[in-house]
Amino acid sequence: DTEVTQTPKHLVMGMTNKKSLKCEQHMGHRAMYWYKQKAKKPPELMFVYSYEKLSINESVPSRFSPECPNSSLLNLHLHALQPEDSALYLCASSPGTAEREGYNEQFFGPGTRLTVL
Amino acid sequence: AQSVTQLDSQVPVFEEAPVELRCNYSSSVSVYLFWYVQYPNQGLQLLLKYLSGSTLVESINGFEAEFNKSQTSFHLRKPSVHISDTAEYFCAVSGAGFQKLVFGTGTRLLVSP
């Protein structure tokens, strides 16, 4: 299995809803990432998990809450989002960490298209 | 810190014409360079990468890129494009030992008949 999967593909939610995005990989990768991508822009890094521990949080608002239950799974819990949070949310994984491997080749999932009403 | 510049936001070309998408980077440490392609409503796919060794790297679908350290560039080329190459192309850099990928702003390649 050489892919990163994400569910759901599309999500529409109200500002008072609570929802979760899921990401899974079975490549034995030890680092996983959440990105947010607005239209016609590059991905913006949100969170990095290395060996199931949160290693980077790019000052993301607390209405986004990541969780890494195990080395294959990464969730992003959403609560009280704003319309400006509407975007494509991408998950990625990499074999290891740059500190150990020297480089950081990331494999991306297809994304979840989120619309906040 | 690293940064990536993709000067061309959009490159229109005709089918079967050659194309070059430009990427320049800056970094204070050794770098690893990547080109990703994003088709409409999809995630990013790794097109090719430079980690070390030969400065010319090739993809399976005819793209190539050359790492030029003196010019701090990693331009992407294809001798003959297809309609199906229409997509957004992102250049990215990772500094040795840094976990983050730094992306350029992207270049939209538009191939028309």
PDB file of all heavy atoms in Angstrom, chain B residues 15 81-86 111-113:
ATOM      1  N   GLU B  15      -0.109  22.500 -27.213  1.00  0.00           N
ATOM      2  CA  GLU B  15       0.227  21.075 -27.149  1.00  0.00           C
ATOM      3  C   GLU B  15       1.419  20.780 -28.058  1.00  0.00           C
ATOM      4  O   GLU B  15       1.547  21.350 -29.145  1.00  0.00           O
ATOM      5  CB  GLU B  15      -0.986  20.255 -27.589  1.00  0.00           C
ATOM      6  CG  GLU B  15      -0.915  18.790 -27.253  1.00  0.00           C
ATOM      7  CD  GLU B  15      -2.195  18.049 -27.571  1.00  0.00           C
ATOM      8  OE1 GLU B  15      -3.024  18.568 -28.361  1.00  0.00           O
ATOM      9  OE2 GLU B  15      -2.382  16.939 -27.025  1.00  0.00           O
ATOM     10  N   VAL B  81       4.708  18.977 -24.453  1.00  0.00           N
ATOM     11  CA  VAL B  81       3.640  18.831 -23.448  1.00  0.00           C
ATOM     12  C   VAL B  81       2.360  18.281 -24.071  1.00  0.00           C
ATOM     13  O   VAL B  81       2.118  18.419 -25.274  1.00  0.00           O
ATOM     14  CB  VAL B  81       3.330  20.170 -22.737  1.00  0.00           C
ATOM     15  CG1 VAL B  81       4.523  20.612 -21.916  1.00  0.00           C
ATOM     16  CG2 VAL B  81       2.901  21.242 -23.736  1.00  0.00           C
ATOM     17  N   HIS B  82       1.536  17.694 -23.194  1.00  0.00           N
ATOM     18  CA  HIS B  82       0.232  17.168 -23.595  1.00  0.00           C
ATOM     19  C   HIS B  82      -0.855  17.939 -22.879  1.00  0.00           C
ATOM     20  O   HIS B  82      -0.614  18.563 -21.837  1.00  0.00           O
ATOM     21  CB  HIS B  82       0.139  15.681 -23.240  1.00  0.00           C
ATOM     22  CG  HIS B  82       1.202  14.845 -23.876  1.00  0.00           C
ATOM     23  ND1 HIS B  82       1.200  14.499 -25.213  1.00  0.00           N
ATOM     24  CD2 HIS B  82       2.317  14.299 -23.354  1.00  0.00           C
ATOM     25  CE1 HIS B  82       2.257  13.766 -25.477  1.00  0.00           C
ATOM     26  NE2 HIS B  82       2.963  13.628 -24.365  1.00  0.00           N
ATOM     27  N   ILE B  83      -2.060  17.868 -23.430  1.00  0.00           N
ATOM     28  CA  ILE B  83      -3.211  18.497 -22.782  1.00  0.00           C
ATOM     29  C   ILE B  83      -3.311  18.040 -21.327  1.00  0.00           C
ATOM     30  O   ILE B  83      -3.615  18.829 -20.429  1.00  0.00           O
ATOM     31  CB  ILE B  83      -4.518  18.142 -23.518  1.00  0.00           C
ATOM     32  CG1 ILE B  83      -4.504  18.683 -24.939  1.00  0.00           C
ATOM     33  CG2 ILE B  83      -5.729  18.673 -22.744  1.00  0.00           C
ATOM     34  CD1 ILE B  83      -4.765  20.146 -25.070  1.00  0.00           C
ATOM     35  N   SER B  84      -3.031  16.778 -21.095  1.00  0.00           N
ATOM     36  CA  SER B  84      -3.162  16.204 -19.751  1.00  0.00           C
ATOM     37  C   SER B  84      -2.144  16.755 -18.758  1.00  0.00           C
ATOM     38  O   SER B  84      -2.258  16.499 -17.554  1.00  0.00           O
ATOM     39  CB  SER B  84      -3.031  14.683 -19.817  1.00  0.00           C
ATOM     40  OG  SER B  84      -1.782  14.319 -20.371  1.00  0.00           O
ATOM     41  N   ASP B  85      -1.160  17.511 -19.220  1.00  0.00           N
ATOM     42  CA  ASP B  85      -0.186  18.129 -18.303  1.00  0.00           C
ATOM     43  C   ASP B  85      -0.722  19.406 -17.671  1.00  0.00           C
ATOM     44  O   ASP B  85      -0.067  19.986 -16.796  1.00  0.00           O
ATOM     45  CB  ASP B  85       1.115  18.441 -19.044  1.00  0.00           C
ATOM     46  CG  ASP B  85       1.861  17.196 -19.482  1.00  0.00           C
ATOM     47  OD1 ASP B  85       1.830  16.189 -18.728  1.00  0.00           O
ATOM     48  OD2 ASP B  85       2.475  17.215 -20.569  1.00  0.00           O
ATOM     49  N   THR B  86      -1.886  19.849 -18.098  1.00  0.00           N
ATOM     50  CA  THR B  86      -2.508  21.030 -17.495  1.00  0.00           C
ATOM     51  C   THR B  86      -2.730  20.776 -16.013  1.00  0.00           C
ATOM     52  O   THR B  86      -3.426  19.839 -15.622  1.00  0.00           O
ATOM     53  CB  THR B  86      -3.838  21.336 -18.178  1.00  0.00           C
ATOM     54  OG1 THR B  86      -3.593  21.745 -19.528  1.00  0.00           O
ATOM     55  CG2 THR B  86      -4.587  22.458 -17.449  1.00  0.00           C
ATOM     56  N   VAL B 111      -2.184  23.990 -21.048  1.00  0.00           N
ATOM     57  CA  VAL B 111      -1.857  23.450 -22.368  1.00  0.00           C
ATOM     58  C   VAL B 111      -3.108  23.468 -23.219  1.00  0.00           C
ATOM     59  O   VAL B 111      -4.138  22.894 -22.844  1.00  0.00           O
ATOM     60  CB  VAL B 111      -1.309  22.016 -22.264  1.00  0.00           C
ATOM     61  CG1 VAL B 111      -0.906  21.516 -23.653  1.00  0.00           C
ATOM     62  CG2 VAL B 111      -0.129  21.967 -21.314  1.00  0.00           C
ATOM     63  N   SER B 112      -3.013  24.106 -24.365  1.00  0.00           N
ATOM     64  CA  SER B 112      -4.168  24.176 -25.253  1.00  0.00           C
ATOM     65  C   SER B 112      -3.855  23.514 -26.593  1.00  0.00           C
ATOM     66  O   SER B 112      -2.696  23.407 -26.974  1.00  0.00           O
ATOM     67  CB  SER B 112      -4.590  25.629 -25.461  1.00  0.00           C
ATOM     68  OG  SER B 112      -3.490  26.404 -25.882  1.00  0.00           O
ATOM     69  N   PRO B 113      -4.920  23.069 -27.298  1.00  0.00           N
ATOM     70  CA  PRO B 113      -4.699  22.346 -28.575  1.00  0.00           C
ATOM     71  C   PRO B 113      -4.123  23.274 -29.644  1.00  0.00           C
ATOM     72  O   PRO B 113      -4.313  24.477 -29.615  1.00  0.00           O
ATOM     73  CB  PRO B 113      -6.107  21.878 -28.963  1.00  0.00           C
ATOM     74  CG  PRO B 113      -6.968  22.117 -27.793  1.00  0.00           C
ATOM     75  CD  PRO B 113      -6.306  23.135 -26.910  1.00  0.00           C
TER      76      PRO B 113
END
